[in-house]
Amino acid sequence: MTVSDRLKPFGETIFAEISRLALQHEAINLGQGFPNWAGPDFVKDAAAAAMRDGCDQYARTSGVPVLNEAIADHHARTGSRRPDPDREVTVTSGCTEAIAATLIGLVNPGDEVVLFQPFYDSYRAAVAMAGAAPRFVTLRFPDFAVDPAELRAAFSDRTRAILLNTPHNPTGKVFSAAELELVADCCRRHDAYAFSDEVYEHLVFDGAHRRIADLDGMAQRTVTMSSLGKTFSLTGWKIGWTVAPPDLTAGVRAAHQFLTFATATPLQYGAAAALRAPDTYYAEFLADFRRKRDLLVDGLSRIGFTLRPPQGTYFVIADHTPFGFESDVAFCRHLVEDIGVAAIPPSVFYDDRAEGRPLVRFAFCKDDATLREALRRLSRLVAR
Ligand code: GLN
């Protein structure tokens, strides 16, 4: 079976489809998660300076040394161990490449990989590209808590890894300390890896970000992945990275060198400057997003959606059933065509699509005026 045969069941990525529909219907795009403002000037200035200074050729495959250093320091900000920048940090073309390189480099065809559903769409595809078999654990609306029995049952002797995402897209869930400990316990018992996507690490609204790599015995079996895009509103730059012990890093790099070889050189210098931002940058970023979350959550509740405020990320999942539509796809079609707002139908994030049918995902990484206008339009929805 070719990779394209294996990917056929998943169709086109929902983000491309929804963004196209949003443009076509001139709808406000609360579907694809990208900010509608520009990234910070101090980051662009550093990238532009690198371009002017002639940083035009291939970067070191594992990343330009100043960026690997900046990633190591940034990783340690949360209290985590500082990784060795040369042996434990690898720069990738966005976290999406990090996920693919990690799965392709460290999982054998036929191995099992545990995924929480709903999952970010590329996870399922990357597992398929690696020739591995997914095992699903369902997080259920409204709190999306982990069912310990279901999690334990998903692990077996065939489990190579679990792919984790905290804070979690699309639910906005932040895994609790107890849930992370449970995942770690399963990994230790079954000698499995944890592949942890932490791109929303700076969007935790209450308390501090927790890394599974920091739990007992987990540093040696975890690949932590993150990126620049969310934290610096530079989703189009596609700068990501992995942090992992040298033996796992060797696996990631084996795949990375033949997937992309290296990542855009001047943008890596910009990224190094970004990650040196003072604490005030991250604090203001979080405060802005907390306000946006409250704006959207309050508005959606007033209109009649049922939801819990997300604990992290810039997404919120709501129950659309008060409006009487038979499915998330039908509801999102009505939103984009008749209401003028694009949103994501979450059934695409489930293996068992029925689980996502009552739900809708909105992104709130938009300026306040746009969020208010989206709410004004959504208020035309009529509860039935
Ligand atoms: N991560 C973003 C989201 O979940 C978009 C990613 C993409 O467009 N591929 O909306």
Side-chain angles (χ1 to χ4, degrees):
M1 226 197 200
T2 64
V3 165
S4 69
D5 284 339
R6 276 185 251 149
L7 295 181
K8 215 166 269 165
F10 316 131
E12 182 189 21
T13 173
I14 190 71
F15 301 111
E17 191 181 333
I18 291 292
S19 290
R20 205 174 47 238
L21 282 173
L23 277 177
Q24 185 187 327
H25 294 283
E26 294 178 15
I28 295 177
N29 192 350
L30 303 190
Q32 192 180 26
F34 64 89
N36 67 342
W37 56 82
D41 283 339
F42 76 96
V43 182
K44 293 186 187 185
D45 290 345
M51 277 187 200
R52 274 194 304 272
D53 292 348
C55 298
D56 295 329
Q57 311 310 328
Y58 298 123
R60 185 176 69 167
T61 300
S62 58
V64 300
V66 291
L67 178 54
N68 292 56
E69 290 278 345
I71 291 168
D73 290 339
H74 171 265
H75 187 85
R77 288 178 90 108
T78 53
S80 302
R81 184 185 68 86
R82 184 180 188 275
D84 179 318
D86 293 327
R87 296 169 66 235
E88 297 183 311
V89 176
T90 305
V91 177
T92 57
S93 296
C95 189
T96 303
E97 195 228 333
I99 293 161
T102 298
L103 282 159
I104 291 168
L106 292 171
V107 169
N108 292 314
D111 285 349
E112 290 186 359
V113 175
V114 178
L115 295 181
F116 288 103
Q117 63 175 356
F119 44 76
Y120 179 57
D121 68 343
S122 88
Y123 293 5
R124 181 77 178 78
V127 168
M129 287 194 278
R135 293 291 307 268
F136 299 101
V137 176
T138 306
L139 304 171
R140 290 188 177 82
F141 186 83
D143 59 357
F144 300 105
V146 177
D147 176 339
E150 206 182 322
L151 180 66
R152 289 195 192 284
F155 275 79
S156 75
D157 295 346
R158 293 184 298 279
T159 307
R160 172 71 58 169
I162 182 166
L163 182 45
L164 189 74
N165 176 214
T166 185
H168 183 261
N169 178 8
T171 64
K173 169 193 175 63
V174 170
F175 280 68
S176 69
E179 287 173 332
L180 287 182
E181 185 46 55
L182 184 68
V183 172
D185 185 54
C186 291
C187 290
R188 289 185 295 249
R189 275 174 202 267
H190 294 274
D191 194 21
Y193 301 133
F195 301 151
S196 186
D197 169 353
E198 303 180 11
V199 296
Y200 300 99
E201 61 186 299
H202 290 286
L203 284 170
V204 176
F205 298 117
D206 305 297
H209 175 59
R210 277 183 289 262
R211 298 192 194 283
I212 193 163
D214 292 340
L215 301 184
D216 262 3
M218 289 306 289
Q220 72 229 45
R221 56 174 78 248
T222 300
V223 178
T224 304
M225 304 177 269
S226 193
S227 78
L228 197 71
K230 279 62 181 181
T231 307
F232 293 92
S233 303
L234 293 165
T235 62
W237 283 33
K238 300 301 294 175
I239 301 280
W241 55 83
T242 62
V243 172
D247 56 331
L248 297 190
T249 290
V252 174
R253 288 182 183 177
H256 162 71
Q257 64 176 334
F258 293 120
L259 282 171
T260 57
F261 183 72
T263 296
T265 308
L267 302 189
Q268 292 196 49
Y269 286 97
L275 295 179
R276 300 278 182 220
D279 289 346
T280 48
Y281 172 84
Y282 296 98
E284 281 167 26
F285 173 77
L286 182 62
D288 267 1
F289 271 97
R290 189 180 283 115
R291 193 190 63 251
K292 290 179 190 303
R293 175 195 63 168
D294 294 345
L295 180 76
L296 189 66
V297 160
D298 292 350
L300 291 176
S301 313
R302 222 167 292 135
I303 290 165
F305 288 93
T306 318
L307 55 86
R308 292 268 171 92
Q311 304 159 293
T313 76
Y314 43 53
F315 304 111
V316 57
I317 287 247
D319 177 348
H320 64 72
T321 54
F323 305 105
F325 286 82
E326 75 197 19
S327 73
D328 58 332
V329 173
F331 181 68
C332 288
R333 187 174 308 125
H334 174 63
L335 283 193
V336 74
E337 289 177 358
D338 307 320
I339 300 287
V341 174
I344 299 285
S347 55
V348 297
F349 302 138
Y350 289 85
D351 181 56
D352 178 5
R353 295 206 163 196
E355 293 273 359
R357 284 167 72 94
L359 306 176
V360 55
R361 189 196 83 171
F362 295 102
F364 51 87
C365 42
K366 307 294 162 182
D367 65 80
D368 293 10
T370 301
L371 291 174
R372 283 203 192 87
E373 171 59 17
L375 287 168
R376 196 187 62 77
R377 295 183 185 192
L378 289 167
S379 65
R380 303 209 311 262
L381 284 165
V382 190
R384 295 183 216 176

Short mmCIF file of all heavy atoms in Angstrom, two decimals, residues 15 31-33 120 169 200 230 315 361, ligand 1:
data_model
loop_
_atom_site.label_atom_id
_atom_site.label_comp_id
_atom_site.label_asym_id
_atom_site.label_seq_id
_atom_site.Cartn_x
_atom_site.Cartn_y
_atom_site.Cartn_z
N PHE A 15 -8.49 22.11 7.38
CA PHE A 15 -8.10 23.52 7.51
C PHE A 15 -8.05 24.20 6.14
O PHE A 15 -8.43 25.35 5.99
CB PHE A 15 -6.77 23.63 8.25
CG PHE A 15 -6.85 23.02 9.61
CD1 PHE A 15 -6.17 21.85 9.91
CD2 PHE A 15 -7.65 23.58 10.58
CE1 PHE A 15 -6.28 21.26 11.16
CE2 PHE A 15 -7.77 23.01 11.84
CZ PHE A 15 -7.08 21.84 12.13
N GLY A 31 -12.29 29.30 11.90
CA GLY A 31 -11.99 27.89 11.65
C GLY A 31 -10.51 27.61 11.85
O GLY A 31 -10.07 27.17 12.91
N GLN A 32 -9.73 27.92 10.80
CA GLN A 32 -8.29 27.65 10.88
C GLN A 32 -7.65 28.55 11.94
O GLN A 32 -7.90 29.76 11.98
CB GLN A 32 -7.65 27.91 9.52
CG GLN A 32 -6.23 27.40 9.41
CD GLN A 32 -5.62 27.69 8.04
OE1 GLN A 32 -6.02 28.63 7.36
NE2 GLN A 32 -4.67 26.86 7.65
N GLY A 33 -6.83 27.95 12.78
CA GLY A 33 -6.22 28.70 13.87
C GLY A 33 -5.01 29.50 13.46
O GLY A 33 -3.88 29.05 13.62
N TYR A 120 -5.58 16.22 16.69
CA TYR A 120 -5.22 17.14 15.61
C TYR A 120 -5.03 16.30 14.36
O TYR A 120 -4.42 15.23 14.40
CB TYR A 120 -3.94 17.88 16.02
CG TYR A 120 -3.48 18.84 14.98
CD1 TYR A 120 -4.32 19.85 14.52
CD2 TYR A 120 -2.23 18.72 14.41
CE1 TYR A 120 -3.91 20.72 13.53
CE2 TYR A 120 -1.80 19.60 13.44
CZ TYR A 120 -2.65 20.59 13.00
OH TYR A 120 -2.24 21.45 12.03
N ASN A 169 -5.37 20.68 21.39
CA ASN A 169 -6.16 21.11 20.23
C ASN A 169 -6.92 19.86 19.76
O ASN A 169 -6.28 18.84 19.54
CB ASN A 169 -5.21 21.61 19.13
CG ASN A 169 -5.92 22.02 17.85
OD1 ASN A 169 -7.13 22.08 17.80
ND2 ASN A 169 -5.13 22.30 16.82
N TYR A 200 1.15 24.82 22.37
CA TYR A 200 0.36 25.83 23.09
C TYR A 200 0.88 26.02 24.51
O TYR A 200 0.12 26.43 25.40
CB TYR A 200 -1.13 25.44 23.08
CG TYR A 200 -1.69 25.34 21.67
CD1 TYR A 200 -1.82 24.10 21.04
CD2 TYR A 200 -2.02 26.48 20.95
CE1 TYR A 200 -2.27 24.00 19.73
CE2 TYR A 200 -2.48 26.39 19.64
CZ TYR A 200 -2.60 25.15 19.03
OH TYR A 200 -3.05 25.07 17.74
N LYS A 230 2.57 29.56 17.28
CA LYS A 230 1.47 30.00 18.14
C LYS A 230 1.93 31.12 19.06
O LYS A 230 1.28 32.14 19.20
CB LYS A 230 0.95 28.82 18.98
CG LYS A 230 -0.02 27.90 18.26
CD LYS A 230 0.57 27.22 17.07
CE LYS A 230 -0.42 26.33 16.35
NZ LYS A 230 0.19 25.67 15.21
N PHE A 315 -8.55 27.70 21.20
CA PHE A 315 -9.76 27.07 20.65
C PHE A 315 -10.78 26.82 21.74
O PHE A 315 -10.42 26.61 22.89
CB PHE A 315 -9.40 25.72 20.01
CG PHE A 315 -8.33 25.83 18.97
CD1 PHE A 315 -7.07 25.29 19.19
CD2 PHE A 315 -8.57 26.50 17.78
CE1 PHE A 315 -6.07 25.42 18.24
CE2 PHE A 315 -7.57 26.63 16.82
CZ PHE A 315 -6.31 26.08 17.05
N ARG A 361 -15.92 23.62 16.68
CA ARG A 361 -14.72 24.27 17.22
C ARG A 361 -14.58 25.68 16.66
O ARG A 361 -14.63 25.87 15.44
CB ARG A 361 -13.45 23.49 16.89
CG ARG A 361 -12.22 24.03 17.64
CD ARG A 361 -10.88 23.57 17.06
NE ARG A 361 -10.47 24.38 15.94
CZ ARG A 361 -9.27 24.33 15.35
NH1 ARG A 361 -8.37 23.46 15.79
NH2 ARG A 361 -8.98 25.09 14.32
N1 GLN B 1 -3.14 24.31 14.00
C1 GLN B 1 -4.15 25.11 13.39
C2 GLN B 1 -5.52 24.67 13.80
O1 GLN B 1 -5.68 23.69 14.45
C3 GLN B 1 -4.12 25.11 11.87
C4 GLN B 1 -3.22 24.13 11.23
C5 GLN B 1 -3.36 24.00 9.75
O2 GLN B 1 -3.96 24.83 9.08
N2 GLN B 1 -2.83 22.96 9.23
O3 GLN B 1 -6.49 25.28 13.43
#
